[in-house]
Amino acid sequence: MKKLRLLLPLLIALAAAPATAQTSDTASAAAPVRNQAAREAFLDRLMQRMTVDEKIGQLRLVSVPAGANPDKPRLLADIRAGRAGAIFNTVTPHDIRVLQDAAMQSRLKIPLFFAYDVIHGQRTIFPIGMGLASTWNMDAIRQTGRISAIEASADGLDMTWSPMVDISRDPRWGRTSEGFGEDTYLTSRIGAALVRAYQGDDPAARGSIMAVVKHFAAYGAVEGGRDYNTVDMSPQRLFQDYLPPYKAAVDAGAAGVMIALNALNGVPATGDKWLLQDVLRKQWGFKGITISDHGAILEMIKHGVAADGRDASRLAITAGADMSMSDTMYGENLRPLLDSGRVRMADIDRATRDVLRVKYDLGLFQDAYRRIGSPQDDPPDINAESRLHRGAARSVARESLVLLKNQGDALPLKKQGTIAVIGPLAKSQRDIMGNWSAAGQADQAVSVFQGMANALGDRARLLYAKGANVIDDPEIVKYLNLYEQDVEVDPRTPAQLVDEAVATARQADVVVAVVGESQGMAHEASSRTDIVLPESQARLLRALKATGKPLVLVLMNGRPLSLVWESENADAMLETWFAGTEGGNAIADVLFGDYNPSGKLPMTFPRSVGQIPLYYNHLNTGRPFDPQNPDKYTSRYFDAPNGPLFPFGYGLSYTTFGVSDVTLSRTSMPRGGKVEASVTVTNTGTRDGATVVQLYIQDPVASISRPVKELKHFQKVLLKAGESRQVSFTIDEKDLSFYNAQLQYGAEPGLFNVYIGLDSQDVKRGSFTLR
Ligand code: BGC
């Protein structure tokens, strides 16, 4: 491996083009600072005045959570002494001001910047990453980023630890919930769109915050889906599939990069000079700050690459990790390392300059209180309703819902009769906000039950029973409740809960069961070895099914689940992820047909955990399984089908769509040329509706084996009932390019297949050749 790592920089230097999934969103980065020479001159002057200790102080990123903080006096003294560079986890203008005031009392008055995990909203909580990705609507996603920036900056924040663009093909990993799924192109588009939305035209503007893309690199590929585990990956896969989303965010102007906690091919990312310098800085031209993840420098001891904290600090600073998040490593060790000659001043200077440059670009040297404002501007009620953006939250949330099944038009429901709403998540206001819900307040979130009640008024009778606890296993409940009250346990026995639910269901015309995972089950440190519904809820569903009432499942979960029984027994299934503050209203909009669902899955739903990793853009193998001719010695399981339960890109509507054959503008494309691929999409049903037209490309004969198909373009179209529209895509050479065995990037001549459809499986084919 060492040899390959030595070889890699050389190989990528030879690469014809960098690892970018081309996107319209990456075309123009957030506007650069206008006068870079003036900025650099300012930084030169400032750095000349700084002592070594003040420089080291700038590299410390300190967590100051809300609430009683016994360390506050010591921290304030540290800030006054210039021993802290930035703060995260403090989230109100009032609390932030206290810290900035201390910085203004320091010798050089270098302002702090303030960051937070504003992942899918600050006060108004939007759907989690999986849900945002399910919209396939870049305008909607951009809007969530813009509102997040406006709300976060109004709270005094300068920076967010987002977007999270880790590609994941393993739903056992709880953090799949935070990302945008398994696909490189879709994730790249979303990551770039969010960066530009957060940062706006001018990152120094009051309504803008800086974006820190994470977790660099390949954190989503942890072995076995177990959080923080090792990642081991071929360079081709790394460059082709896993790196482009980070690169797209960097190209879009992301101010920062957060370094992954995992080791990549044996080297912890925090100490990976190749990753942080050769790839990020030299190849990609990144100019911002790099930030180690929580405690990651110290963790290099346990990774087994550093003997002690000093050694770990040396590794991190020389590799290129500018700031140390939430550990004392740089503060304690950089000075002695410098004094003993094991770290060069140039390394510390470089990192310090990166931090100061970001502060400059944030406009903090002009006005340290730019986003904090003055005390008289502090909102009298930080959680005031007027500070929320409910309209946008509802419209994005409804687009994030994916209709997985709708047998016999079980949905939409009629606003009449008696409806039983059952399940441990039906009335939850905390779960519907999802993980990393920033400053969102659960009591401002609309539960599914409440949303349905709002939609119905007095037109129908709504009944409720909890039916089950989210999970029964007391050990798991204890785990989930370790740092935050996640699962509320109803003390009644499982049988009592089910009996009540069954009695409730019997009184109703239809049952809506709201089941899935608590938000804490799909989070950091929330890996699962199985991805089924917990037995408490499966038991409930079996009992509800036995009542013979129509059964509609509202699924709330952060990862693809294995839902075989459910897909065979429920009449309808709506995947809602964790839909945010307005989730309940949005879900009701879809359940009652006030909004026609249009979401599409950004990640494959396997039938069972044993199929993992299961992803649509796999290689064909030498013995692909053919269901028409099911041979024994083919690449298959003998105890289960090969394919997914629901494929990537899948999602139903209350209307139906037809897709014509593919027409191509030419069948032979010259180098540097373009081919236009078109289909006519028709709304063949009786309701207006939106769908996502997806274009995939396959290179069936190449110098290395290429995926059976790869997403290259998509368009979301809204069609009136009966309406037809031609949808066209322009394919260029970049869409055909890949990294070959020598890591050279480019397109190889020959045949290409173009597939267009409304999911990754049900597609029409055309083909052309590249000359
Ligand atoms: C996570 C990051 C997060 C950081 C700060 C870490 O545990 O891995 O994604 O940004 O904490 O909260």
Side-chain angles (χ1 to χ4, degrees):
M1 195 62 237
K2 196 161 182 191
K3 206 163 158 200
L4 182 58
R5 293 187 69 82
L6 289 174
L7 206 58
L8 271 179
L10 182 69
L11 291 176
I12 59 168
L14 292 171
T20 312
Q22 88 282 15
T23 79
S24 54
D25 307 286
T26 55
S28 75
V33 164
R34 273 164 205 80
N35 192 341
Q36 294 191 16
R39 176 184 66 191
E40 297 309 313
F42 172 87
L43 297 180
D44 283 341
R45 285 194 301 276
L46 180 57
M47 298 256 308
Q48 274 161 20
R49 296 173 61 207
M50 291 171 80
T51 64
V52 172
D53 289 333
E54 281 166 339
K55 288 177 180 173
I56 292 171
Q58 287 300 307
L59 311 185
R60 273 188 68 208
L61 171 58
V62 185
S63 171
V64 185
N69 193 334
D71 287 342
K72 204 71 163 273
R74 196 171 49 84
L75 175 68
L76 290 173
D78 269 0
I79 295 172
R80 281 189 209 100
R83 282 197 294 265
I87 306 289
F88 71 116
N89 287 336
T90 302
V91 284
T92 66
H94 174 269
D95 292 349
I96 288 176
R97 188 178 302 107
V98 173
L99 302 166
Q100 193 70 301
D101 285 347
M104 290 301 108
Q105 291 158 21
S106 66
R107 190 178 73 91
L108 292 172
K109 301 188 176 21
I110 297 175
L112 297 160
F113 71 72
F114 296 87
Y116 195 35
D117 286 286
V118 182
I119 309 293
H120 52 112
Q122 165 68 356
R123 298 211 162 260
T124 308
I125 303 304
F126 295 101
I128 59 164
M130 272 286 165
L132 289 182
S134 298
T135 69
W136 297 58
N137 179 340
M138 291 303 133
D139 289 335
I141 290 169
R142 229 172 262 127
Q143 191 187 20
T144 70
R146 200 79 279 285
I147 292 173
S148 300
I150 289 167
E151 290 185 359
S153 60
D155 277 348
L157 294 166
D158 304 301
M159 194 178 281
T160 173
W161 309 140
S162 168
M164 188 280 215
V165 296
D166 302 326
I167 296 295
S168 174
R169 296 165 172 180
D170 194 333
R172 289 172 295 186
W173 192 49
R175 301 196 81 170
T176 52
S177 56
E178 295 172 50
F180 308 117
E182 74 191 32
D183 185 66
T184 307
Y185 176 75
L186 181 61
T187 301
S188 300
R189 291 278 308 265
I190 297 173
L194 279 175
V195 167
R196 296 180 66 215
Y198 290 139
Q199 300 191 165
D201 292 333
D202 178 5
R206 191 165 192 264
S208 293
I209 54 173
M210 278 188 168
V212 176
V213 62
K214 67 188 187 186
H215 305 81
F216 188 63
Y219 182 25
V222 284
E223 283 181 359
R226 206 182 69 218
D227 212 355
Y228 318 122
N229 203 4
T230 296
V231 176
D232 205 307
M233 186 181 284
S234 74
Q236 278 71 23
R237 180 167 282 186
L238 183 67
F239 276 87
Q240 191 66 32
D241 297 346
Y242 283 79
L243 291 185
Y246 310 106
K247 170 74 162 61
V250 165
D251 287 348
V257 167
M258 190 185 292
I259 307 164
L261 292 161
N262 54 280
L264 175 61
N265 300 331
V267 181
T270 311
D272 193 338
K273 193 170 188 172
W274 172 75
L275 203 55
L276 299 181
Q277 288 186 32
D278 296 347
V279 176
L280 183 64
R281 304 260 179 204
K282 294 195 190 124
Q283 295 297 315
W284 297 358
F286 177 68
K287 299 260 178 332
I289 41 171
T290 52
I291 295 174
S292 66
D293 201 349
H294 211 280
I297 297 177
L298 190 59
E299 287 172 17
M300 285 201 285
I301 301 171
K302 292 199 174 138
H303 272 293
V305 297
D308 52 28
R310 190 147 301 168
D311 207 17
S313 305
R314 178 188 57 78
L315 268 179
I317 192 77
T318 54
D322 291 340
M323 291 195 101
S324 91
M325 182 195 287
S326 220
D327 61 27
T328 51
M329 291 297 96
Y330 278 2
E332 284 169 12
N333 296 309
L334 289 185
R335 184 78 212 215
L337 281 166
L338 186 71
D339 293 345
S340 63
R342 281 186 293 162
V343 158
R344 294 172 309 146
M345 195 60 219
D347 286 316
I348 295 174
D349 276 344
R350 189 209 54 225
T352 307
R353 198 176 183 99
D354 288 341
V355 175
L356 297 174
R357 191 184 296 114
V358 154
K359 292 181 177 181
Y360 186 98
D361 291 353
L362 278 165
L364 293 174
F365 284 111
Q366 281 171 321
D367 179 5
Y369 296 89
R370 199 173 202 89
R371 296 177 184 78
I372 305 167
S374 39
Q376 63 269 22
D377 300 330
D378 281 358
D381 173 9
I382 196 85
N383 298 321
E385 260 302 311
S386 59
R387 303 188 80 221
L388 301 185
H389 294 80
R390 286 193 181 271
R394 182 165 179 167
S395 76
V396 177
R398 359 197 247 192
E399 278 201 69
S400 73
L401 310 178
V402 187
L403 185 63
L404 298 175
K405 179 179 180 185
N406 195 16
Q407 185 178 295
D409 289 338
L411 289 177
L413 301 174
K414 296 195 178 61
K415 290 181 183 170
Q416 64 187 43
T418 303
I419 303 171
V421 184
I422 292 174
L425 297 163
K427 281 196 171 178
S428 174
Q429 292 176 288
R430 173 64 194 95
D431 291 297
I432 204 162
M433 294 201 301
N435 58 29
W436 298 112
S437 51
Q441 302 297 307
D443 61 5
Q444 290 177 317
V446 181
S447 71
V448 177
F449 181 88
Q450 187 58 49
M452 292 178 73
N454 295 344
L456 287 172
D458 53 13
R459 275 180 287 182
R461 203 153 71 97
L462 211 50
L463 307 178
Y464 167 76
K466 182 163 179 177
N469 283 309
V470 169
I471 194 155
D472 279 341
D473 185 327
E475 285 305 312
I476 296 179
V477 171
K478 205 161 100 193
Y479 178 82
L480 293 171
N481 287 349
L482 258 182
Y483 292 95
E484 166 185 26
Q485 177 66 37
D486 182 51
V487 180
E488 265 175 44
V489 179
D490 190 308
R492 288 174 288 175
T493 65
Q496 284 170 326
L497 287 164
V498 170
D499 288 349
E500 182 192 58
V502 166
T504 308
R506 287 215 172 98
Q507 299 169 51
D509 305 312
V510 57
V511 175
V512 175
V514 189
V515 292
E517 302 180 298
S518 67
Q519 59 85 26
M521 287 172 72
H523 204 334
E524 185 178 344
S526 299
S527 299
R528 299 178 63 185
T529 62
D530 208 348
I531 52 169
V532 290
L533 286 179
E535 176 52 24
S536 57
Q537 300 183 66
R539 186 192 308 125
L540 168 67
L541 293 185
R542 289 193 295 270
L544 294 174
K545 173 73 183 173
T547 64
K549 301 285 181 178
L551 181 59
V552 173
L553 300 193
V554 170
L555 296 157
M556 204 182 282
N557 45 281
R559 51 160 66 80
L561 295 178
S562 151
L563 299 163
V564 176
W565 183 93
E566 292 79 359
S567 68
E568 285 163 2
N569 287 281
D571 296 283
M573 291 163 67
L574 183 68
E575 176 56 70
T576 72
W577 309 113
F578 295 102
T581 305
E582 278 290 305
N585 285 331
I587 292 166
D589 286 339
V590 167
L591 290 178
F592 293 115
D594 297 320
Y595 178 80
N596 188 356
S598 62
K600 300 278 188 176
L601 296 178
M603 195 163 170
T604 303
F605 273 47
R607 288 169 194 276
S608 72
V609 78
Q611 293 178 305
I612 297 171
L614 189 67
Y615 49 96
Y616 83 93
N617 50 349
H618 57 87
L619 303 187
N620 203 35
T621 81
R623 297 185 179 190
F625 174 69
D626 175 5
Q628 311 304 314
N629 181 22
D631 240 12
K632 179 166 184 180
Y633 288 98
T634 56
S635 182
R636 62 178 296 184
Y637 298 106
F638 70 75
D639 58 351
N642 262 22
L645 188 59
F646 301 112
F648 174 82
Y650 171 87
L652 302 171
S653 163
Y654 293 151
T655 188
T656 47
F657 296 98
V659 179
S660 72
D661 286 339
V662 176
T663 34
L664 297 174
S665 60
R666 63 208 303 182
T667 52
S668 167
M669 175 177 142
R671 285 275 166 191
K674 293 182 185 339
V675 172
E676 195 158 59
S678 311
V679 289
T680 300
V681 184
T682 305
N683 181 339
T684 50
T686 54
R687 294 180 59 123
D688 302 351
T691 189
V692 180
V693 189
Q694 303 158 36
L695 180 145
Y696 299 86
I697 287 190
Q698 179 196 20
D699 185 349
V701 182
S703 62
I704 61 172
S705 191
R706 300 286 298 126
V708 293
K709 51 173 87 84
E710 279 182 314
L711 183 72
K712 293 295 171 183
H713 294 280
F714 60 86
Q715 268 181 51
K716 189 160 188 174
V717 290
L718 175 66
L719 296 174
K720 297 216 163 351
E723 186 186 345
S724 287
R725 188 169 322 151
Q726 183 176 316
V727 177
S728 301
F729 302 94
T730 305
I731 299 166
D732 65 17
E733 219 177 294
K734 258 188 280 150
D735 297 327
L736 316 178
S737 297
F738 62 96
Y739 289 86
N740 68 13
Q742 287 73 42
L743 281 184
Q744 291 158 334
Y745 181 79
E748 295 178 357
L751 183 79
F752 286 87
N753 291 322
V754 178
Y755 301 99
I756 304 184
L758 304 182
D759 66 50
S760 61
Q761 279 190 349
D762 186 9
V763 288
K764 298 281 174 64
R765 189 177 81 175
S767 39
F768 68 92
T769 48
L770 173 70
R771 292 205 294 274

